[in-house]
Amino acid sequence: MATTTDEPLPLHELISRILAPEPSFQKPKGLLAGLGTMQALNQRLANQPLLDFINATLRGISQVIFVNNPLSGLLILAAMFIQSPWLGGMSLVGTASATLTAIALKANPGAIQNGIFGLNGMLVGAAMAFFGGFGNGAWNPVWAIATIILSALTAVVMETVGTWFATRFRVAPLGIPFNGVMLPFLLLLAFVPQPFFDLGPPPPPFPAGTIDGFRLVQSLPLGLAQVFFSDKLVSVVLVVLGVAICTPIGAVVGLLGCAMYLLAGLLLGAKPDELYTGLWGYNAALTATAIGGVFYTPNRLSISIGLICAFLASIASILLAPLFSLLKLPLLSVPFSIVTIGCFLILQRSLPSLVPVVLHTVASPEEHRQRFRAAKETIASFRQQLRAALQGQQRNILFEQATPAIKGDLRYIFDAIDRDRSGFLST
């Protein structure tokens, strides 16, 4: 997901990359099987500019929810068009504008192809369609032109500020380009008189009432669809399906994040309609997914911490909403960005037992888990070989058969284990 490839891989990822995993680890099976990130398609389209651009655009749409798959992007795009043709059209324009700008900037080709630049443009397009629909009305060319410009600007911010942020803190610049472009624009519209953009009247306050348990359960997946400003039943189903065909683990963790939003809302006394519409549940879903399987290898610890952080993002959403309302601003993904980036920075120092994923190797949760399991298997085999060597037993010595590149990687691994730099591994 990052635009830099200079960061060294953690040992478990390097081992899984240079040594072939056992056949049982080559592909998840059963309920855990997903299409993954379809990187073979990227390689196939590398020399076909038009098809590759379509591929990158669809990946950019799905990357909004940490899914890197063009078929998922197509399903999500269909969900937005079903929600509103205006929403789908503006989202497509925003994604394409940001992707084309990144190409013009000669940004990292891999990042462009995997939709890293398009995702912020897609969010700009969806947000502009949402706010413009309440003001000037749908299909207003002024909003479409502004979407092209602002989406292009997110690509510039991503290439400059985003790259610096990822390099400096080793954390993905989650939401920074989108929020950094949209919030000043909306603040300008709210307080500077101008004849072009109308945001419409402020929404009426949610009415008070009692919680209907059945409606509450029904609203659980809405948080995932609200990432794409959608709440129609068919749109919700398509969004959940789009995530699940790429990463079933991601879909489950995202839904658990939505549950954390509902729990936080009940504890803080949120109004029923705030919960039923999944209004800010998308911040919790994104937070849970980011920590529970995208930037950390999914396991019970990472998923548990992801859900705790999703709960915190939900509280931040509910508490920040009145403050942003005073400024006549929407929350957008500010709670998600603040809580998730903050959690990443804390976890880097306080919980080294978590298994991090280097930014330029981010794939699907299933692929992260597969790589980690393959590395564990290799490390276990290494320990057996080491014990055999210490006991003078027969062992396999394959180093001389390795290619020069793999020998270099093995030397890197050896040096990482050889803490005292003696050139030998002690008992």
Side-chain angles (χ1 to χ4, degrees):
M1 286 193 172
T3 57
T4 178
T5 58
D6 297 330
E7 187 178 350
L9 293 172
L11 282 180
H12 75 274
E13 291 200 15
L14 184 57
I15 290 171
S16 68
R17 175 170 293 190
I18 67 173
L19 297 178
E22 293 296 323
S24 59
F25 294 138
Q26 289 179 354
K27 185 178 180 181
K29 297 179 180 179
L31 293 177
L32 293 181
L35 293 176
T37 57
M38 298 178 65
Q39 290 303 305
L41 179 63
N42 279 353
Q43 297 171 8
R44 201 172 299 128
L45 298 179
N47 297 319
Q48 303 180 56
L50 178 59
L51 292 178
D52 196 36
F53 172 73
I54 295 172
N55 171 54
T57 301
L58 292 175
R59 288 179 185 271
I61 292 170
S62 64
Q63 279 279 20
V64 173
I65 202 165
F66 303 113
V67 170
N68 180 9
N69 186 292
L71 295 181
S72 299
L74 186 61
L75 286 174
I76 292 170
L77 181 63
M80 288 188 289
F81 268 103
I82 290 171
Q83 179 71 27
S84 161
W86 166 244
L87 174 67
M90 287 282 277
S91 300
L92 191 57
V93 165
T95 312
S97 174
T99 303
L100 286 171
T101 303
I103 294 172
L105 293 172
K106 297 182 178 179
N108 183 285
I112 295 172
Q113 191 179 48
N114 284 292
I116 303 304
F117 289 89
L119 74 92
N120 289 291
M122 182 267 145
L123 283 171
V124 167
M128 293 287 280
F130 180 80
F131 297 117
F134 281 104
N136 299 72
W139 306 109
N140 190 294
V142 174
W143 286 88
I145 294 171
T147 294
I148 294 173
I149 296 171
L150 294 176
S151 297
L153 187 56
T154 64
V156 177
V157 174
M158 185 69 179
E159 176 65 4
T160 53
V161 178
T163 301
W164 171 84
F165 189 88
T167 304
R168 174 68 178 80
F169 298 104
R170 294 188 178 183
V171 173
L174 305 173
I176 290 177
F178 166 58
N179 292 308
V181 168
M182 279 302 302
L183 288 176
F185 175 75
L186 293 174
L187 195 64
L188 198 66
L189 297 189
F191 291 98
V192 177
Q194 45 77 37
F196 304 106
F197 300 94
D198 181 9
L199 292 174
F206 288 102
T210 57
I211 298 293
D212 183 332
F214 181 70
R215 289 189 65 188
L216 197 66
V217 173
Q218 282 184 316
S219 69
L220 181 64
L222 277 176
L224 287 180
Q226 286 285 15
V227 173
F228 303 95
F229 296 85
S230 301
D231 60 3
K232 288 183 178 179
L233 177 60
V234 177
S235 299
V236 172
V237 171
L238 286 176
V239 169
V240 174
L241 180 62
V243 176
I245 65 169
C246 174
T247 163
I249 293 176
V252 171
V253 173
L255 291 172
L256 290 174
C258 296
M260 290 298 101
Y261 165 70
L262 296 179
L263 177 60
L266 291 174
L267 293 177
L268 292 179
K271 294 177 180 178
D273 284 348
E274 287 181 275
L275 301 178
Y276 299 153
T277 58
L279 188 59
W280 298 301
Y282 61 87
N283 282 298
L286 291 173
T287 301
T289 305
I291 297 175
V294 174
F295 297 102
Y296 290 97
T297 296
N299 54 39
R300 277 178 289 187
L301 179 60
S302 65
I303 291 174
S304 298
I305 293 174
L307 295 182
I308 292 171
C309 294
F311 183 79
L312 295 177
S314 303
I315 293 177
S317 298
I318 294 170
L319 295 181
L320 286 175
L323 175 62
F324 273 64
S325 181
L326 291 176
L327 297 173
K328 300 181 181 180
L329 290 175
L331 274 177
L332 299 181
S333 62
V334 171
F336 155 67
S337 299
I338 292 175
V339 172
T340 306
I341 291 175
C343 287
F344 282 156
L345 295 175
I346 293 171
L347 292 172
Q348 284 177 352
R349 294 168 175 81
S350 61
L351 272 177
S353 58
L354 285 173
V355 183
V357 176
V358 177
L359 295 184
H360 65 267
T361 66
V362 167
S364 69
E366 286 78 6
E367 289 167 301
H368 298 162
R369 188 165 178 81
Q370 172 191 345
R371 292 204 305 257
F372 182 66
R373 291 178 66 193
K376 282 184 65 178
E377 190 82 357
T378 302
I379 292 170
S381 176
F382 168 79
R383 287 175 176 161
Q384 292 174 358
Q385 291 284 326
L386 184 59
R387 280 195 295 268
L390 293 172
Q391 296 169 7
Q393 299 174 1
Q394 185 178 3
R395 60 198 186 279
N396 295 322
I397 301 176
L398 304 176
F399 183 77
E400 294 304 324
Q401 300 177 26
T403 64
I406 289 181
K407 284 181 180 178
D409 288 337
L410 291 173
R411 172 57 61 184
Y412 172 80
I413 295 173
F414 182 91
D415 290 342
I417 300 173
D418 181 22
R419 298 295 178 86
D420 60 2
R421 297 294 183 266
S422 67
F424 297 93
L425 298 183
S426 64
T427 302

